[in-house]
Amino acid sequence: MKKFINNPEQVVVESMKGLELAHPELLKAYYSPNYMVRSDAPVAGKVGVVSGGGSGHEPMHCGYIGHGMLDAACPGEVFTSPTPDQIYDAAKKVDGGAGILLIVKNYTGDVLNFDMAAELLKADGIEVEQVIIDDDVAVQDSLYTAGRRGVGATVLAEKIVGAAAGAGMKLKELAELCRKVNSNARSMGVALTSCTVPAVGKPSFDLPDDEYELGIGIHGEPGRQRLKMEPADKIVERMIEPVIEDLPYQSGDEILLFVNGMGGTPILELYILYRKAYEIAIERGLTVSRNLVGTYMTSLDMAGASITLLKLDEQLRNFWDAPVKTAALRWGM
Amino acid sequence: MKKFINNPEQVVVESMKGLELAHPELLKAYYSPNYMVRSDAPVAGKVGVVSGGGSGHEPMHCGYIGHGMLDAACPGEVFTSPTPDQIYDAAKKVDGGAGILLIVKNYTGDVLNFDMAAELLKADGIEVEQVIIDDDVAVQDSLYTAGRRGVGATVLAEKIVGAAAGAGMKLKELAELCRKVNSNARSMGVALTSCTVPAVGKPSFDLPDDEYELGIGIHGEPGRQRLKMEPADKIVERMIEPVIEDLPYQSGDEILLFVNGMGGTPILELYILYRKAYEIAIERGLTVSRNLVGTYMTSLDMAGASITLLKLDEQLRNFWDAPVKTAALRWGM
C-alpha cells in the first residue's frame, strides 16, 4: 500500500486538521468524538443540517460544511459509521432553535446510529427530522445495507437542502424537500480498481486487470456483475440505462446530470464519460439543464465513476443555483 | 490498462467535447486544430490570456477558461506540445485588440511552438508577450526541458494574471505581473505510482511497491531520487524544505500554500499533506494567508502530489481573491 498517510489510525483526524487549517473561515473541528461544524454555528433561527458517515468518501461530508450546504458533519472511521454521540454532539453545536435535519445515507450502521442520535436530541427537546438517501439502483440489499444504498444523490440533497435551510425553510418542509430530491434521483457506479482501506493495507477486493465491476458500492460492496473491460461509451450505457429506466426519467424531463469520480479517476476521463452520458440523455428526450462533473463522493483511491440523474423542477433548480461556499463546492460566494 | 476511454487517439477530443457540453456558458471548442476559447471571445479591449500544453494535466488548461482566468487554451495530444497553428488560431479567436499574453510552461517543445505562434501573431500585427513558467526546484534540466520545469505555479499565474487582465491591465504590465508570480513561486512533486499514457497502454515508468520518487516531473520525468516509502509527514518535509530554501522564503513572508493532487490521489490524503505543509510553513515563520488544496494539475492517473509556495503581496493577493468562474476554479461568481 502506498498512500500519503502517517499512522492508519490517524488518517481521519489528520485529514480533518488539514481541512480546518485550510478553511478556518468555513469550519471548525472537534475531536473525541470527531465532528466538524460551520465556523459561525449555531445560526439562530435556522434549521441545522447535519450529515455524516464513514470516512473515505471525501470531500463528502466535511468538505460540504459552510454557507448554503451542511452545518455539521460527523466522519466515522474509514468505512465505519459515526457513533451516536458524534452525531448528537455535532447536532447540539449547530442547533439554532429551529430543529435539526439529519441526512443519512442508507447503510445499516448509519441508519441505526443516526436514529439513536435523533432519540437523544429529541430527549433534549430538540425537534429532529431524518431523511434516508437510497438512490443506488444497482442492487436491492447489499453488504451493510437493507434496501438500496445511498450514493451520489447525497451530494445533491445536501446542496439543495442546505440552500433551502439558508433561505429560512422550516424543518418539516426541509425534510419533505430532501425526500423529494431522493425520490427524484437515481444512481449507478462502476469500479475499475479496488480501493485500499489504510488500516487494512491491501485492496478490499480483487478485480482482474481486464475486468470492471458494474454497480459497485462506495465501500467496494459487490455490484451487479463483473464484465470484461469495455470502451468508456459502453460502460456509460450500462450505467445510465438502468438509471433512466428505474424512475423512469421520461422524454421532456429536465434533469441535473452528475458524473462523479471515485477518487483515483482523473478529470480527463470523467469528461469523456460525461460526453456520452449527455448524448444518451439527449437521445432519450431529457433536457440536461444542470450538471456536476468531478470528484465529489469517493471510495478512497478507487478508480471508478458513478452517474446520478436528478429530475429538476423550478424549486430544485433554484436551490441548486443558490450561492454556496464550502471547501469542495463553491459558487456565487 | 483500465481507463474510461474509447479510442486512445480520441481521448483529447472526447474530453474537450465533454467539457464543452458541461460548460457551454463558459467555453467553446474548436477542432483540427484543437483549442477552446471563452464563449464570449473576443472581449474588446482586453488582453487575451492564452495557455496550453500537452493533455494529461487536466483540469489544466481548458478547465481554467472562463471569466477571470484564461481566454483560450490549446491542448496538445497527451504529453505532447500543442502545435504553432493551434496556438495561433486560439490566440486569433481571443484577440480583442489589446494584445495576447502567452503563458508557457518550460518544456522545450512548448517553448518552441509558442515562440513560433508568437512570430505568426506578430506578423499579423498583434502585440504578443510570452512568459515562461519554471517553478520546479527538483532538477535543473530534465527530459524535455532545458532549465527548470514549469509546474504548479502555472495554475496560480493563470488565476492572478487572468484577474488582472479582466480588470483592464495592459499587456506589458500583465507580462510583468506573470513574471512576478513565477519568480515568487517554487514547487516540488512526488509520485507514488507511474501514470499510463492511453496510447501507450502501460505505465510510463516502473516504481516498486515500496518506493516513491521525489521531484517527479508532470510527465513522469525522473526526479531527484527514489526513496523507500515513508510516512506522509516525512514526504512533505522532503518536498517543502527544498522549496522554502530555494527562493528562499523567509520568516515574515506571506504565502499562498498550494497542495496539488496528481490525478490518482484522493482529497483525504491531500489534506493530510496540507496539514503538515502548513505546520512546517508556520514553524519557519511564514504566514499562510491563502491556500489551494485539490486536484488542479495532474499527470493522468498518477498517484502523487506537489507543493507550491507563492510569496504574496497586496497586489497578488487581491488578484488571487478576485472572482473567477471556470470549470475547475470558481468563486465569487
Side-chain angles (χ1 to χ4, degrees):
Chain A
M1 173 183 61
K2 290 197 284 187
K3 285 176 184 289
F4 294 116
I5 61 172
N6 293 297
N7 178 342
E9 287 170 16
Q10 294 297 311
V11 164
V12 174
V13 162
E14 289 183 356
S15 193
M16 285 170 67
K17 279 188 180 153
L19 185 62
E20 184 186 34
L21 288 170
H23 300 287
E25 77 289 2
L26 290 178
L27 40 71
K28 189 168 163 43
Y30 292 86
Y31 301 99
S32 305
N34 300 332
Y35 59 94
M36 300 185 88
V37 305
R38 59 188 280 174
S39 55
D40 59 352
V43 181
K46 191 184 99 64
V47 175
V49 182
V50 179
S51 191
S55 291
H57 307 303
E58 293 67 24
M60 191 178 76
H61 298 271
C62 289
Y64 299 130
I65 296 171
H67 302 278
M69 214 161 162
L70 294 182
D71 292 272
C74 317
E77 288 305 306
V78 173
F79 292 177
T80 303
S81 296
T83 56
D85 64 314
Q86 278 181 273
I87 304 161
Y88 170 80
D89 285 7
K92 291 285 277 189
K93 274 280 193 310
V94 299
D95 171 26
I100 296 290
L101 178 69
L102 301 174
I103 301 179
V104 188
K105 297 191 302 301
N106 191 37
Y107 298 96
T108 304
D110 288 24
V111 172
L112 281 171
N113 290 352
F114 272 90
D115 205 50
M116 286 176 63
E119 293 309 313
L120 294 170
L121 291 165
K122 285 176 192 165
D124 286 354
I126 297 172
E127 216 185 337
V128 181
E129 288 278 345
Q130 296 181 68
V131 178
I132 308 286
I133 305 293
D134 61 351
D135 56 310
D136 188 347
V137 306
V139 292
Q140 182 71 27
D141 302 331
S142 176
L143 204 57
Y144 315 128
T145 314
R148 287 179 162 186
R149 302 173 298 214
V151 288
T154 316
V155 178
L156 309 181
E158 291 176 3
K159 168 65 185 85
I160 288 169
V161 167
M169 190 179 276
K170 301 296 176 210
L171 181 60
K172 297 275 178 209
E173 276 178 275
L174 267 188
E176 253 176 65
L177 177 66
C178 196
R179 286 184 192 105
K180 177 172 153 184
V181 172
N182 186 54
S183 68
N184 281 10
R186 296 290 187 277
S187 299
M188 172 98 86
V190 303
L192 303 188
T193 68
S194 176
C195 50
T196 299
V197 175
V200 177
K202 58 186 180 57
S204 300
F205 57 96
D206 289 318
L207 196 48
D209 275 350
D210 60 345
E211 292 184 14
Y212 73 101
E213 176 128 359
L214 178 71
I216 194 83
I218 57 170
H219 312 95
E221 305 96 308
R224 289 189 166 191
Q225 57 185 138
R226 291 275 172 97
L227 291 160
K228 289 287 172 191
M229 197 57 201
E230 298 180 288
D233 286 3
K234 188 70 197 172
I235 297 173
V236 171
E237 278 175 28
R238 291 195 197 270
M239 277 198 279
I240 201 172
E241 285 180 356
V243 166
I244 291 174
E245 295 306 328
D246 192 89
L247 191 67
Y249 298 88
Q250 294 176 314
S251 183
D253 283 352
E254 176 187 347
I255 63 159
L256 184 158
L257 176 55
F258 174 23
V259 172
N260 174 59
M262 304 288 254
T265 292
I267 192 84
L268 175 80
E269 297 177 36
L270 296 182
Y271 278 111
I272 292 174
L273 299 179
Y274 180 79
R275 178 194 117 276
K276 183 63 182 179
Y278 179 93
E279 285 172 5
I280 293 172
I282 296 299
E283 279 162 20
R284 294 293 200 108
L286 307 177
T287 300
V288 182
S289 76
R290 297 293 182 276
N291 66 76
L292 186 67
V293 185
T295 302
Y296 293 103
M297 183 182 198
T298 59
S299 301
L300 294 165
D301 51 353
M302 182 186 282
S306 63
I307 295 178
T308 299
L309 267 64
L310 171 65
K311 185 173 163 178
L312 292 176
D313 58 17
E314 191 181 350
Q315 183 192 40
L316 297 185
R317 191 193 326 110
N318 288 343
F319 285 130
W320 176 258
D321 287 346
V324 61
K325 185 175 179 180
T326 69
L329 203 66
R330 186 169 172 188
W331 54 72
M333 300 175 89
Chain B
M1 173 184 63
K2 289 196 285 187
K3 287 176 183 289
F4 292 116
I5 61 173
N6 293 296
N7 177 342
E9 287 171 16
Q10 294 297 310
V11 164
V12 174
V13 162
E14 288 182 357
S15 193
M16 286 171 67
K17 280 188 179 152
L19 185 62
E20 184 187 34
L21 288 170
H23 301 286
E25 77 289 1
L26 290 177
L27 40 70
K28 188 167 164 46
Y30 292 86
Y31 302 99
S32 306
N34 300 332
Y35 58 92
M36 299 185 89
V37 304
R38 60 189 280 175
S39 54
D40 58 352
V43 181
K46 191 185 99 63
V47 175
V49 182
V50 178
S51 192
S55 290
H57 307 303
E58 292 68 24
M60 191 178 76
H61 298 270
C62 289
Y64 299 131
I65 296 170
H67 302 279
M69 212 161 163
L70 293 181
D71 292 272
C74 317
E77 290 304 308
V78 172
F79 292 178
T80 303
S81 297
T83 56
D85 63 314
Q86 278 182 274
I87 304 161
Y88 171 79
D89 285 7
K92 290 285 276 189
K93 274 279 193 310
V94 300
D95 170 26
I100 297 291
L101 178 69
L102 302 174
I103 302 180
V104 188
K105 298 192 302 300
N106 192 36
Y107 299 96
T108 304
D110 288 24
V111 171
L112 280 172
N113 290 352
F114 273 90
D115 206 49
M116 286 177 65
E119 293 310 313
L120 294 172
L121 292 165
K122 286 175 191 164
D124 286 354
I126 297 173
E127 217 185 336
V128 181
E129 289 278 346
Q130 296 182 68
V131 179
I132 308 285
I133 304 292
D134 61 351
D135 56 311
D136 188 346
V137 307
V139 291
Q140 182 71 27
D141 302 331
S142 176
L143 204 56
Y144 316 128
T145 315
R148 287 178 161 186
R149 302 173 298 214
V151 289
T154 316
V155 178
L156 310 181
E158 291 177 1
K159 167 66 185 83
I160 287 168
V161 167
M169 189 179 276
K170 300 296 176 209
L171 181 61
K172 297 275 178 210
E173 277 178 274
L174 266 188
E176 254 176 64
L177 176 67
C178 195
R179 287 185 191 104
K180 176 172 154 184
V181 172
N182 186 54
S183 67
N184 281 11
R186 296 291 187 276
S187 300
M188 172 96 88
V190 303
L192 303 188
T193 69
S194 175
C195 49
T196 298
V197 175
V200 177
K202 59 186 180 57
S204 299
F205 57 96
D206 290 319
L207 197 48
D209 275 349
D210 60 345
E211 292 184 14
Y212 73 103
E213 177 128 359
L214 179 71
I216 194 82
I218 57 170
H219 313 94
E221 305 97 309
R224 289 189 166 193
Q225 56 185 139
R226 291 275 172 99
L227 291 161
K228 290 286 172 193
M229 197 58 202
E230 298 181 288
D233 286 3
K234 189 70 196 171
I235 297 173
V236 171
E237 278 174 27
R238 291 195 196 269
M239 277 197 280
I240 200 171
E241 286 180 354
V243 166
I244 291 174
E245 295 306 328
D246 193 87
L247 191 67
Y249 298 87
Q250 295 177 312
S251 182
D253 283 352
E254 176 188 347
I255 63 159
L256 183 158
L257 177 55
F258 174 23
V259 172
N260 175 58
M262 304 289 253
T265 292
I267 192 84
L268 175 81
E269 297 176 37
L270 295 182
Y271 278 111
I272 292 174
L273 299 179
Y274 181 79
R275 177 195 118 275
K276 183 64 181 178
Y278 179 93
E279 285 171 6
I280 293 172
I282 296 299
E283 279 162 21
R284 294 293 200 108
L286 307 177
T287 300
V288 182
S289 76
R290 297 292 182 276
N291 64 75
L292 186 66
V293 184
T295 302
Y296 292 103
M297 183 183 197
T298 59
S299 301
L300 294 167
D301 51 353
M302 182 186 281
S306 64
I307 295 179
T308 299
L309 267 64
L310 171 66
K311 186 172 163 178
L312 292 175
D313 58 16
E314 191 182 349
Q315 183 193 40
L316 297 186
R317 192 193 324 111
N318 287 343
F319 285 130
W320 177 257
D321 288 345
V324 60
K325 185 175 178 181
T326 69
L329 203 66
R330 186 171 172 186
W331 53 73
M333 299 175 90

